[in-house]
Amino acid sequence: MARPRFLVLQLFLRSSRVQKKRAVLTIAAIAWGTLALLLLLAFGEGLGLSLGKAWAGMGTDIAVIWPGETTVPWKGLPAGRAIRPRINDIRAIKERVPGLVGVSGEIIRWGTNFTHGENTVNAPVKGVGTIWGQLRNQIPASGGRFLNPLDDAQRRRVVFLGTDLATDLFGDEDPIGGSVLIDAVPYTVIGVLIEKMMFGNYSGMDANHAIIPIRTLYAQYGSDRLSVLVLKPENRAGMKRALAGVAQVLSAKYGFDPEDERVLGTWDTVETGKIRDNFMLGIQLFLSIIGVLTLTVGGIGVANIMYAVVKERTREIGVKMALGARSHWVTGPIVLEGLTYTLLGGLTGMVVATVLVFLLGLIPTGDSMALKALGKPTLSPAIAATAAGVLGIIGLLAGYFPARRAASVDPAETLRYE
Amino acid sequence: MTTNDSIIAMEQIRKVYDTGKVQVEALRGIDLEISKGEFVAIVGPSGSGKSTLMNLIGCLDTPTSGVYRLTGQLVAGMKKDELATVRNRRVGFIFQNFNLLPQISAYENVEMPLLFGGVPRRERRRRVEALMERVGLADRMEHKPTELSGGQMQRVAVARALAMDPDILLADEPTGNLDTSSGGDIMELFQDLWEQGGTMLVITHDPALARRARRQVEIQDGLITRDTGSPGADSTPLR
Ligand SMILES: Nc1ncnc2c1ncn2[C@@H]1O[C@H](COP(=O)(O)OP(=O)(O)OP(=O)(O)O)[C@@H](O)[C@H]1O
Ligand SMILES: [Mg+2]
């Protein structure tokens, strides 16, 4: 038989048309479902992107270590001793723990007085090593810079300010090059942090802190005990080994069981990142399920209309069979018709969704934290492919089951003259 | 026992409709042979099994038991698609209520079996035009069935039945829905087709049409009760 596929298309074009109103309603239902699916996925994607950015705000794949107290006796030393590493231990860690991008100590002094002109503000000051800026994602706004090794070596009195703190002190004035009194000691502002979203934190928001070289802080306050250590391995897989290495170095120096987990409180963002990724995946999955269900309702509408079509055309089907139509020449056009309604609806939904997402993108988020966190709905090729795939499957199913009923039509029965 | 010219050869054909509660034995052992070039009328009271017999002959349905050969080919055991091909090539159906597809033109209705037969486009056009000419409707090709009279619809149906040049035309009460004059036209048409060498099987209540047939087969209660046989060549009825 010649060109059966072509034949199915011809038969489809020649089969009787469905009531226009019913077809439009069905297509609208599919369009609505597609729109719902796409918007939900787009919001999920936008949320994921903005959350990802916010989490990265603290730095990616870093670990933060808080020195604590021992809980088990070790080599004749009793439990309950506080372990307080010093600035110089950082060098030892750098030398003995391989596979690190960097490690930095951090000394935090809460409630420090900052004064510029008339303005006095209370905020934490943090003394850190130069690499800390890279580990903790401290990007300077244009015109400024972060601390450099010379600042530390020469114990320069320079300060890098968080965005909000800079505004509180300087108002509309350009802070770069300006001077600030930190607990009555004059400092020069060398940089201001760019505005950024940040979800994780262990010592307040970065927007509200001031950063100075760790040795400068030591010189001014006289304590070289580290509040926390921040480190980043060369790759994620190296995190566990790096943490164990730090524990070894400190244990050798301060005398504690390196297995004692309470001595060094650890926040491993690689580990929490995995949980976060799973969480995001869960949200996306949840949104997709809702979307797909909405779309399925549309698909059931198409299947319904096709069942009605088959019923209405029973005699037509019987006649075609009497004329020698093979069963797939009867079913093919029906599947094609169901698919056509579905894809027409899908296309409509996709166009509307694209326009809506574009318009939503134009709405300014302003200062609303909630809007920022929600992010901009984003349509990615992956989302489009998912939607197209789901539509295709639903369209085929919506045509397949009614077509199966058509194929089971008994021609002798339908052609009986009544 | 089947001659080379045999188109239909049925032996002990039975058809039982199982409607769940009751079993209706519509045909109770039919022996029938029809040769090429015959014009057979099947007559009998309502409910006697005439349409059932035609459906079996046309492979629209399968017998419950018995042996059926169509142009020498055993029909039992054919797959669905093979039966479809048989219906497409070997038989042409004409129904009392025409059964044209209402949404397409007369031309497309006649073309439908040619589409199923895989006939190329140009050849289809040639054949449809010739057939419409033959049934006297060359000027009505683009009309929808609803725009035609009953007699015209039945002539389109005849053209459609002839499209694939079948071995036999099967007509179930072809004049039942027509007035006397249109019915007469159809009878003329059948007569012509038969005279040009066609094989015809017509179910009818119309004595006028039955008389035109050279052979009459009467069915009552699922059995053949009378068969005039073919006059001429071989006067022995049945086997
Ligand atoms: N699909 C079916 N299911 C059940 N019984 C059926 C079916 N088709 C036909 N019958 C029964 O089989 C018998 C023969 O029916 P058939 O249609 O062949 O009669 P007929 O001779 O064509 O009658 P008519 O002259 O009224 O058209 C009837 O009793 C009818 O009720
Ligand atoms: Mg009948």
Side-chain angles (χ1 to χ4, degrees):
Chain A
M1 301 273 146
R3 293 162 293 173
R5 199 172 306 166
F6 183 61
L7 176 60
V8 164
L9 190 66
Q10 286 214 3
L11 292 171
F12 163 63
L13 294 175
R14 283 181 191 190
S15 55
S16 55
R17 293 280 80 95
V18 161
Q19 239 186 5
K20 212 182 220 155
K21 199 165 133 195
R22 217 161 54 168
V24 167
L25 281 176
T26 313
I27 291 170
I30 289 287
W32 172 247
T34 310
L35 181 64
L37 175 69
L38 284 175
L39 284 187
L40 285 169
L41 287 179
F43 270 109
E45 179 88 358
L47 183 68
L49 285 177
S50 84
L51 285 187
K53 234 188 265 170
W55 283 107
M58 200 186 78
T60 38
D61 300 339
I62 60 172
V64 181
I65 299 171
W66 295 266
E69 288 183 357
T70 63
T71 54
V72 290
W74 178 252
K75 296 186 175 162
L77 296 165
R81 288 178 311 116
I83 303 299
R84 289 283 173 266
R86 294 166 186 270
I87 294 173
N88 284 338
D89 296 333
I90 295 299
R91 196 189 303 144
I93 291 172
K94 271 188 205 154
E95 280 165 9
R96 286 183 229 159
V97 181
L100 289 181
V101 170
V103 53
S104 169
E106 174 176 340
I107 300 172
I108 307 169
R109 294 192 65 89
W110 301 93
T112 307
N113 257 313
F114 291 81
T115 311
H116 172 75
E118 308 275 278
N119 300 333
T120 298
V121 178
N122 251 302
V125 65
K126 300 174 183 175
V128 301
T130 313
I131 191 75
W132 192 89
Q134 185 190 330
L135 303 184
R136 287 277 278 94
N137 205 13
Q138 303 288 301
I139 301 165
S142 69
R145 64 171 179 87
F146 193 68
L147 311 179
N148 65 28
L150 268 184
D151 296 331
D152 197 43
Q154 301 181 355
R155 296 174 175 77
R156 286 178 182 163
R157 289 202 301 276
V158 290
V159 63
F160 181 84
L161 294 175
T163 328
D164 292 351
L165 183 54
T167 313
D168 289 349
L169 287 169
F170 288 87
D172 293 336
E173 211 182 309
D174 180 13
I176 311 287
S179 99
V180 181
L181 296 177
I182 300 179
D183 280 340
V185 176
Y187 280 74
T188 304
V189 178
I190 54 165
V192 176
L193 179 63
I194 58 160
E195 216 165 314
K196 69 175 180 181
M197 286 262 290
M198 181 173 161
F199 273 6
N201 79 81
Y202 54 89
S203 55
M205 288 309 208
D206 288 1
N208 216 28
H209 69 194
I211 304 297
I212 61 175
I214 197 163
R215 286 176 209 284
T216 311
L217 185 136
Y218 179 32
Q220 181 171 343
Y221 294 100
S223 166
D224 69 343
R225 301 286 187 174
L226 303 178
S227 312
V228 298
L229 293 82
V230 179
L231 67 84
K232 176 172 178 157
E234 277 161 2
N235 51 56
R236 290 178 172 202
M239 181 61 95
K240 290 271 176 287
R241 214 175 329 111
L243 288 172
V246 171
Q248 283 294 344
V249 172
L250 294 180
S251 134
K253 176 149 183 201
Y254 294 98
F256 62 86
D257 183 349
E259 304 291 311
D260 186 352
E261 291 192 348
R262 307 294 287 274
V263 178
L264 302 174
T266 306
W267 179 5
D268 174 354
T269 66
V270 172
E271 208 47 46
T272 48
K274 278 183 207 157
I275 296 167
R276 199 183 63 231
D277 289 349
N278 285 338
F279 178 69
M280 276 316 300
L281 194 70
I283 287 185
Q284 282 287 38
L285 219 60
F286 175 70
L287 293 177
S288 331
I289 288 170
I290 295 178
V292 168
L293 283 181
T294 315
L295 198 47
T296 305
V297 172
I300 291 170
V302 173
N304 251 334
I305 204 175
M306 291 318 296
Y307 271 123
V309 160
V310 169
K311 201 169 170 199
E312 276 165 22
R313 293 186 202 157
T314 310
R315 182 172 282 267
E316 184 177 326
I317 290 164
V319 170
K320 284 181 180 168
M321 286 178 163
L323 297 178
R326 294 181 174 198
S327 58
H328 68 268
W329 296 339
V330 167
T331 55
I334 291 166
V335 173
L336 212 56
E337 192 169 342
L339 200 58
T340 303
Y341 293 134
T342 310
L343 295 187
L344 272 180
L347 207 66
T348 312
M350 283 190 184
V351 170
V352 175
T354 311
V355 171
L356 271 183
V357 164
F358 173 74
L359 291 179
L360 284 171
L362 295 181
I363 297 174
T365 48
D367 283 338
S368 159
M369 188 64 191
L371 275 182
K372 270 187 205 166
L374 200 53
K376 299 277 188 199
T378 309
L379 282 172
S380 66
I383 291 177
T386 309
V390 171
L391 277 169
I393 292 170
I394 287 181
L396 281 178
L397 290 179
Y400 170 77
F401 290 103
R404 225 175 44 165
R405 177 168 296 178
S408 70
V409 162
D410 174 2
E413 180 73 19
T414 59
L415 294 174
R416 257 153 57 91
Y417 179 68
E418 262 116 61
Chain B
M1 63 191 181
T2 50
T3 64
N4 281 344
D5 271 356
S6 160
I7 292 190
I8 309 284
M10 288 185 145
E11 287 169 44
Q12 283 304 307
I13 290 292
R14 287 175 66 248
K15 178 68 184 179
V16 179
Y17 289 110
D18 193 348
T19 56
K21 274 175 266 166
V22 272
Q23 293 205 339
V24 181
E25 195 168 5
L27 298 177
R28 302 190 292 148
I30 298 280
D31 294 312
L32 181 64
E33 189 168 332
I34 296 175
S35 305
K36 190 165 157 44
E38 278 197 284
F39 189 161
V40 182
I42 297 198
V43 295
S46 183
S48 54
K50 305 182 297 292
S51 298
T52 304
L53 178 61
M54 193 187 93
N55 286 342
L56 293 186
I57 292 174
C59 295
L60 271 181
D61 211 341
T62 47
T64 310
S65 67
V67 179
Y68 173 31
R69 282 194 176 80
L70 180 62
T71 59
Q73 239 183 318
L74 264 181
V75 169
M78 280 193 189
K79 295 197 192 76
K80 265 185 126 183
D81 281 356
E82 290 171 318
L83 287 173
T85 305
V86 166
R87 291 196 292 265
N88 185 243
R89 308 245 152 138
R90 305 252 169 260
V91 300
F93 286 101
I94 295 156
F95 304 94
Q96 179 173 359
N97 54 341
F98 326 126
N99 275 329
L100 297 177
L101 303 186
Q103 75 282 0
I104 54 176
S105 67
Y107 178 94
E108 289 170 316
N109 266 286
V110 178
E111 192 189 19
M112 190 67 71
L114 297 167
L115 269 178
F116 296 145
V119 176
R121 186 184 190 53
R122 204 176 297 238
E123 173 69 5
R124 289 204 302 266
R125 172 156 281 279
R126 198 188 63 71
R127 275 212 238 176
V128 175
E129 279 168 2
L131 286 162
M132 291 297 280
E133 187 83 43
R134 177 154 193 196
V135 298
L137 290 173
D139 56 339
R140 293 285 192 279
M141 291 204 280
E142 295 313 320
H143 286 234
K144 295 271 170 70
T146 46
E147 298 158 1
L148 298 172
S149 73
Q152 288 170 332
M153 283 198 266
Q154 195 59 301
R155 278 187 276 157
V156 173
V158 172
R160 183 178 68 180
L162 292 170
M164 286 298 285
D165 198 13
D167 296 318
I168 186 167
L169 271 190
L170 304 172
D172 193 347
E173 307 270 10
T175 59
N177 273 17
L178 301 178
D179 58 57
T180 328
S181 123
S182 323
D185 289 350
I186 293 294
M187 287 192 282
E188 286 295 333
L189 186 54
F190 280 16
Q191 181 87 29
D192 284 354
L193 290 170
W194 174 66
E195 279 165 7
Q196 284 157 29
T199 310
M200 325 284 291
L201 185 143
V202 182
I203 295 172
T204 185
H205 280 122
D206 182 350
L209 181 51
R211 242 176 286 123
R212 281 178 191 259
R214 295 304 178 273
R215 176 180 170 194
Q216 275 127 41
V217 176
E218 191 183 76
I219 297 187
Q220 279 186 34
D221 213 5
L223 284 171
I224 293 180
T225 50
R226 189 169 64 92
D227 187 343
T228 63
S230 283
D234 181 1
S235 57
T236 354
L238 298 178
R239 289 201 262 181

